[in-house]
């Protein structure tokens, strides 16, 4: 039993809170989490936290915005009630995919409520994939080549496109307008200092249509979320498999980013027949480091799925042609990713891998968000098995997806909490391979 410690569970994942408390040998703290009828969150800590070391467990799945606000209010309540130290434990860190410009990263499809009900929209998502197979009728790759040759061709093409996109050109009105839209400062200077441009072209600017590849000015919410947590009073963050590990640098408080990797490796060794002959696959270039870390440490081969065209919008991303670099024929392919949200990435990758001759396809993913119709998509896909951890509640998913298996993370977080509380090093939890 750990003393002088208080563990508070948010509404996102009571089961994980209970598991962590069981490992620590303490009951979860009494809190009243409720809502006013207008929808505002109300938090009442029903026991003293004065001078205590408080850990608040709240994950990023489900009603992610409500959970975030609830976490912020709970942190603030504990600080106001004189807690000695408050640690936010976020098994899945919310908004960590938005630490940079989402259109340029492979973020979750953005939801536009105005699309709901339109033909092709599913629960309002901005893409038209169906549960059965994303982009039915659209071949995922044409003239697919394996090996280095295909990677070289693909990369050369991508570089050429990027080069063309950024090569210095004589500024055109369109490029000025594009720059102006991206930068509020430049926008002002165009209007104020270049009045002739501004006045003579205002009607054209109003009817400006972004050219392909135009990058919209979007909020970088990850930074804001980091600031909000710190402002609320968090002294420390514990999380797992951050989408972008560099996100830790957004905080000026300690962030411990635990690895789900050991759990995934153990699953491979204990559950995948003939695993040494299987091949680890990253479904995109962004996840290559994560996947190669597993492949290298287990002495396994590695393949990469390369998206041929650099998508600039979610809709483009859905259509990007995928190329496999590596040979999966007659082998078990193991996709490794940090998260599955719509499951579009892993189901499309599985389809390609089967087309390329893989005998079985597993997807091993730390965070099984599985929002919207993700489960239906997995059920109808070429995936043989999807393995996720319970950083997010999986009970409902398990009931609907016979291909799903869930790995427990409660003991990892409990051990991290115990070590932080006692001032012990927790590097042992993320340095072993
Ligand atoms: O395709 P879905 O499941 O929506 O999104 C998951 C992908 O989006 C990325 O940020 C993740 O790293 C993963 O590759």
């Amino acid at each position: 039993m750990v003393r002088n410690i208080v563990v508070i569970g948010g509404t996102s994942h009571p089961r994980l809170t209970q598991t962590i408390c069981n490992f620590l040998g303490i009951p979860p703290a009494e809190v009243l989490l409720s809502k006013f009828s207008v929808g505002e969150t109300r938090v009442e800590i029903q026991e003293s936290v004065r001078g205590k070391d408080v850990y608040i467990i709240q994950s990023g799945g489900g009603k992610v915005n409500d959970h975030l606000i609830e976490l912020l209010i709970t942190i603030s309540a504990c600080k106001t009630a004189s807690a000695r130290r408050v640690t936010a434990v976020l098994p899945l860190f919310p908004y960590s995919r938005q630490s940079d410009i989402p259109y340029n990263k492979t973020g979750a499809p953005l939801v536009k409520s105005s699309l709901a009900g339109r033909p092709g929209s599913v629960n309002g998502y901005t893409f038209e994939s169906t549960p059965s197979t994303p982009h039915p009728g659209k071949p995922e790759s044409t003239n697919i080549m394996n090996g280095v040759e295909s990677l070289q061709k693909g990369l050369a093409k991508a570089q050429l496109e990027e080069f063309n996109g950024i090569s210095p050109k004589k500024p055109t009105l369109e490029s000025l307008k594009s720059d102006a839209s991206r930068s509020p400062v430049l926008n002002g200077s165009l209007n104020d200092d270049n009045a002739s441009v501004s006045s003579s072209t205002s009607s054209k600017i109003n009817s400006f249509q972004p050219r392909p590849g135009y990058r919209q000015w979007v909020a970088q919410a990850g930074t804001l979320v980091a600031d909000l947590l710190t402002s609320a009073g968090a002294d420390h963050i514990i999380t797992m498999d951050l989408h972008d590990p560099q996100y830790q640098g957004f905080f000026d408080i300690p962030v411990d980013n635990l690895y789900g990797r050991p759990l995934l490796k153990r699953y491979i060794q204990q559950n995948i027949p003939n695993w040494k002959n299987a091949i680890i696959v990253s479904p995109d270039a962004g996840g290559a480091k994560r996947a190669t870390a597993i492949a290298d440490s287990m002495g396994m081969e590695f393949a990469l799925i390369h998206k041929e065209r650099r998508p600039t919008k979610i809709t483009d991303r859905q259509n990007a042609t995928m190329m496999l670099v590596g040979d999966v024929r007659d082998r078990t392919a193991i996709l490794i990713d940090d998260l599955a949200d719509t499951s579009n990435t892993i189901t499309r990758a599985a389809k390609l891998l089967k087309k390329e001759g893989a005998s079985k396809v597993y997807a091993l993913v730390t965070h099984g968000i599985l929002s919207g119709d993700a489960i239906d998509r997995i059920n109808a896909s070429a995936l043989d098995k999807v393995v996720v951890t319970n950083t997010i509640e999986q009970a409902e998913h398990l009931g609907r997806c016979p291909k799903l298996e869930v790995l427990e993370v409660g003991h990892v977080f409990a051990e991290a909490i115990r070590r932080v509380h006692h001032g012990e090093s927790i590097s042992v939890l993320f340095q072993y391979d």
Side-chain angles (χ1 to χ4, degrees), residues 97 106-109 243 284 290 317 337-345:
R97 282 192 290 173
T106 47
H243 176 70
D284 57 30
R290 191 177 294 115
R317 183 162 73 86
D337 213 342
D338 62 325
L339 61 90
D341 184 358
T342 64
S343 291
N344 198 47
T345 302

Side-chain angles (χ1 to χ4, degrees), residues 45-85:
I45 316 280
Q46 297 186 313
E47 59 185 74
S48 172
V49 294
R50 180 174 293 276
K52 300 272 177 64
D53 190 14
V54 178
Y55 296 81
I56 304 168
I57 296 158
Q58 186 77 300
S59 204
K63 294 177 179 164
V64 59
N65 294 326
D66 275 354
H67 294 152
L68 179 60
I69 287 290
E70 188 184 86
L71 173 64
L72 294 170
I73 295 174
T74 310
I75 293 171
S76 175
C78 292
K79 283 306 253 197
T80 313
S82 302
R84 183 172 63 80
R85 181 175 61 173

Side-chain angles (χ1 to χ4, degrees), residues 131-134 140-141 144 279 281-284 304-307 322-324 328-329 331-337 340 343-365 374 377-387 403:
S132 53
T133 312
E140 300 211 290
S141 62
I144 293 170
I279 182 162
V281 184
S282 174
D284 57 30
L304 172 74
I305 292 174
H306 173 68
K307 294 197 180 116
M322 299 168 97
M323 286 194 315
L324 176 67
V328 299
R329 187 157 298 282
R331 303 171 81 175
T332 296
I334 306 171
L335 284 161
I336 301 285
D337 213 342
S343 291
N344 198 47
T345 302
I346 54 172
T347 53
R348 289 193 73 203
K351 187 175 170 188
L352 176 61
L353 291 168
K354 283 272 169 90
K355 217 191 260 181
E356 291 291 309
S359 50
K360 267 190 180 265
V361 180
Y362 288 71
L364 269 58
V365 174
R377 187 168 294 124
I378 289 171
N379 285 339
S381 75
L383 285 161
D384 294 290
K385 182 78 74 188
V386 176
V387 182
K403 297 179 181 182

